[in-house]
């Protein structure tokens, strides 16, 4: 599958003109009679600009590595806020607000108590980031080649939604066991203080069901979240360069481009938090309780109950998403990966629509 995707990626609309020049210049095929042959020096310069081909295995591997860093580091950094949010969701009578939650947690568990669950958080979300960002790039190329250049542009939002949903499906399977352990550690006092204590205990009580009973609610929470995260980010970046940034992206420095990435990521994160919060509440309660189903938890919480902790989640997810995109894009810059500019209407489509002669 990966070799065929890599082959198709070479002619993909998301590819960059420089890389296309490399493919043309090194393919060995003669240039058309009315066009001069591209020089080897120009092709060599394009090769030196990037560390790998767009859509190559190395490209996907480094994108996955960027996902590991962006998700693993950021989610671990906000463990205290996530812990308080989870406790507000599962015990709203005791933890009445974000500041009240921090105060109670510090009083009962001390400063070290705020770090509970950091190990499953780091492992789980690193695995999720690997699949989320790595497979997103794979599916974006795959679906784009199925649509063709013109339909890729016309249906690009749907393409972002489909690619991100497909990637998150696999990412949640990787995340589910560690997410279940994290919630047990954070929300059940005395159950376990570390991952090494929690995993054997969970397996003894419920076998594999303990680790995967929350995967369906995870899909309910994470797939809409990720669809919003990627589609909103992609279209926001496009809008910022079109309406806000006073010059084309090609004329912006790398730091300026990363600022745009951070701003677009934060905007996307706010929408992500709102879309995914009800399912997040269900997941938190479900992983705490034995024998409950998602529908039972949803019915018991009610409409107001599923929105508990939304403010904390907006702060956490907004900052988290912005930092994730910033780290991910920074990894691409550091490793000199191809970073295609915002999509533009193909010339063939412009002619069809009568926008050019």
């Amino acid at each position: 599958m990966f070799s065929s995707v890599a082959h198709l990626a070479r002619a993909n609309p998301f590819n960059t003109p420089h890389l296309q020049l490399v493919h043309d210049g090194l393919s060995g095929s003669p240039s058309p009679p009315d066009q001069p042959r591209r020089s080897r020096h120009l092709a060599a310069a394009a090769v030196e600009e990037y560390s790998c081909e767009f859509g190559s295995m190395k490209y996907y591997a480094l994108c996955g590595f960027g996902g590991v860093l962006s998700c693993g580091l950021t989610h671990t950094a906000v463990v205290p806020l996530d812990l308080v949010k989870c406790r507000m969701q599962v015990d709203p009578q005791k933890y009445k607000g974000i500041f009240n939650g921090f105060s109670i947690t510090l009083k009962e568990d001390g400063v070290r108590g705020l770090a509970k669950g950091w190990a499953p958080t780091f492992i789980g979300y690193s695995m999720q980031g690997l699949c989320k960002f790595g497979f997103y790039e794979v599916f974006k190329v795959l679906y784009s080649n199925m649509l063709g250049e013109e339909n890729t542009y016309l249906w690009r939002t749907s393409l972002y939604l489909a690619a991100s949903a497909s990637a998150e499906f696999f990412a949640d399977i990787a995340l589910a066991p560690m997410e279940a352990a994290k919630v047990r550690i954070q929300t059940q006092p005395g159950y376990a203080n570390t991952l090494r204590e929690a995993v054997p205990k969970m397996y003894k009580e419920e076998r594999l069901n303990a680790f995967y009973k929350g995967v369906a609610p995870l899909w309910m929470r994470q797939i809409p979240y990720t669809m919003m995260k990627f589609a909103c980010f992609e279209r926001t970046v496009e809008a910022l360069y079109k309406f806000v940034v006073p010059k084309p992206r090609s004329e912006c420095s790398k730091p300026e481009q990363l600022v745009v990435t951070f701003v677009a990521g934060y905007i996307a994160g706010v929408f992500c938090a709102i879309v995914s919060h009800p399912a997040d509440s269900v997941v938190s309660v479900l992983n705490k309780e034995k024998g409950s189903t998602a529908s039972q938890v949803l019915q018991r919480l009610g409409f107001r109950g599923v929105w508990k902790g939304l403010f904390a989640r907006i702060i956490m997810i907004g900052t988290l998403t912005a930092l994730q995109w910033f780290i991910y894009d920074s990894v691409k810059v550091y490793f000199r990966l191809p970073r295609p500019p915002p999509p533009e209407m193909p010339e063939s489509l412009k002619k069809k629509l009568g926008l050019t002669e």
Side-chain angles (χ1 to χ4, degrees), residues 88-163:
M88 287 170 60
Q89 290 170 332
V90 301
D91 193 355
Q93 299 301 318
K94 181 176 180 180
Y95 301 93
K96 294 181 169 51
I98 182 171
F99 298 109
N100 174 256
F102 269 108
S103 176
I104 294 174
T105 301
L106 284 169
K107 185 178 179 179
E108 292 181 350
D109 302 326
V111 176
R112 292 185 64 182
L114 292 173
K116 273 189 173 181
W118 74 267
T121 298
F122 177 73
I123 296 170
Y125 283 94
S126 293
M127 294 299 296
Q128 186 210 37
L130 173 69
C131 297
K132 184 198 299 256
F133 283 91
F135 282 138
Y136 174 70
E137 299 286 353
V138 172
F139 284 116
K140 190 166 74 166
V141 168
L142 184 65
Y143 295 157
S144 177
N145 281 292
M146 291 170 63
L147 289 171
E149 185 181 27
E150 293 181 2
N151 284 330
T152 289
Y153 178 80
L154 291 172
W155 297 91
R156 58 194 184 281
T157 302
S158 298
L159 184 146
Y160 303 144
L161 292 170

Side-chain angles (χ1 to χ4, degrees), residues 223-261:
I223 289 179
Y225 163 84
T226 301
M227 291 170 72
M228 181 66 73
K229 174 179 181 175
F230 282 85
C232 184
F233 172 80
E234 299 268 20
R235 294 310 299 261
T236 302
V237 167
E238 189 179 335
L240 288 175
Y241 279 114
K242 187 175 182 179
F243 300 110
V244 179
V245 181
K247 54 186 176 182
R249 199 191 80 158
S250 58
E251 298 177 14
C252 295
S253 65
K254 291 295 191 295
E256 288 173 336
Q257 292 177 21
L258 290 174
V259 169
V260 174
T261 295

Side-chain angles (χ1 to χ4, degrees), residues 13 149-151 153-154 344-351 356:
E149 185 181 27
E150 293 181 2
N151 284 330
Y153 178 80
L154 291 172
E344 295 182 359
M345 184 180 293
E347 288 298 323
S348 58
L349 188 57
K350 289 181 181 178
K351 290 180 181 179
T356 184

Side-chain angles (χ1 to χ4, degrees), residues 3-22:
S3 59
S4 61
V5 170
H7 176 72
L8 288 170
R10 295 175 182 175
N12 190 268
F14 288 109
N15 209 337
T16 61
H18 294 294
L19 287 174
Q20 193 60 51
L21 175 63
V22 176

Side-chain angles (χ1 to χ4, degrees), residues 21-30:
L21 175 63
V22 176
H23 299 313
D24 294 343
L26 300 180
S27 63
S29 58

Side-chain angles (χ1 to χ4, degrees), residues 33-315:
D34 57 336
Q35 295 181 5
R37 178 181 288 274
R38 293 175 173 87
S39 72
R40 292 178 180 271
H41 297 293
L42 189 56
V47 172
E48 290 172 0
E49 183 176 349
Y50 300 111
S51 63
C52 61
E53 290 185 2
F54 179 86
S56 66
M57 287 300 297
K58 181 179 179 180
Y59 174 80
Y60 291 132
L62 289 174
C63 286
F65 176 68
V68 168
L69 292 182
S70 66
C71 291
L73 294 178
T74 53
H75 277 279
T76 305
V78 296
V79 161
L81 187 58
D82 186 41
L83 181 146
V84 172
K85 172 192 65 76
C86 285
R87 290 183 174 182
M88 287 170 60
Q89 290 170 332
V90 301
D91 193 355
Q93 299 301 318
K94 181 176 180 180
Y95 301 93
K96 294 181 169 51
I98 182 171
F99 298 109
N100 174 256
F102 269 108
S103 176
I104 294 174
T105 301
L106 284 169
K107 185 178 179 179
E108 292 181 350
D109 302 326
V111 176
R112 292 185 64 182
L114 292 173
K116 273 189 173 181
W118 74 267
T121 298
F122 177 73
I123 296 170
Y125 283 94
S126 293
M127 294 299 296
Q128 186 210 37
L130 173 69
C131 297
K132 184 198 299 256
F133 283 91
F135 282 138
Y136 174 70
E137 299 286 353
V138 172
F139 284 116
K140 190 166 74 166
V141 168
L142 184 65
Y143 295 157
S144 177
N145 281 292
M146 291 170 63
L147 289 171
E149 185 181 27
E150 293 181 2
N151 284 330
T152 289
Y153 178 80
L154 291 172
W155 297 91
R156 58 194 184 281
T157 302
S158 298
L159 184 146
Y160 303 144
L161 292 170
S164 56
S166 301
E168 189 60 37
F169 176 86
F170 296 101
D172 288 342
I173 295 173
L175 169 65
M178 293 296 103
E179 179 73 2
K182 182 204 75 168
V183 172
R184 293 283 182 97
I185 293 169
Q186 290 182 338
T187 62
Q188 294 188 23
Y191 184 83
N193 290 318
T194 66
L195 181 62
R196 286 181 295 179
E197 292 177 25
V199 169
K201 198 169 183 179
M202 291 169 65
Y203 183 76
K204 184 178 179 180
E205 291 174 352
E206 300 180 64
R207 300 295 177 184
L208 288 177
N209 185 55
F211 303 101
Y212 285 101
K213 72 176 183 178
V215 72
L218 260 183
W219 283 328
M220 291 166 53
R221 180 187 82 183
Q222 290 296 133
I223 289 179
Y225 163 84
T226 301
M227 291 170 72
M228 181 66 73
K229 174 179 181 175
F230 282 85
C232 184
F233 172 80
E234 299 268 20
R235 294 310 299 261
T236 302
V237 167
E238 189 179 335
L240 288 175
Y241 279 114
K242 187 175 182 179
F243 300 110
V244 179
V245 181
K247 54 186 176 182
R249 199 191 80 158
S250 58
E251 298 177 14
C252 295
S253 65
K254 291 295 191 295
E256 288 173 336
Q257 292 177 21
L258 290 174
V259 169
V260 174
T261 295
F262 184 85
V263 172
Y266 209 103
I267 293 171
V270 172
F271 288 101
C272 290
I274 296 170
V275 165
S276 63
H277 189 73
D280 180 64
S281 298
V282 173
V283 170
S284 296
V285 176
L286 190 65
N287 281 320
K288 179 192 174 187
E289 299 177 354
K290 299 178 186 177
S292 295
T293 64
S295 58
Q296 290 172 341
V297 171
L298 186 62
Q299 187 175 11
R300 187 167 69 255
L301 288 175
F303 180 79
R304 292 187 63 182
V306 296
W307 294 105
K308 278 281 185 180
L310 177 60
F311 179 68
R313 184 166 170 79
I314 286 177
I315 295 173

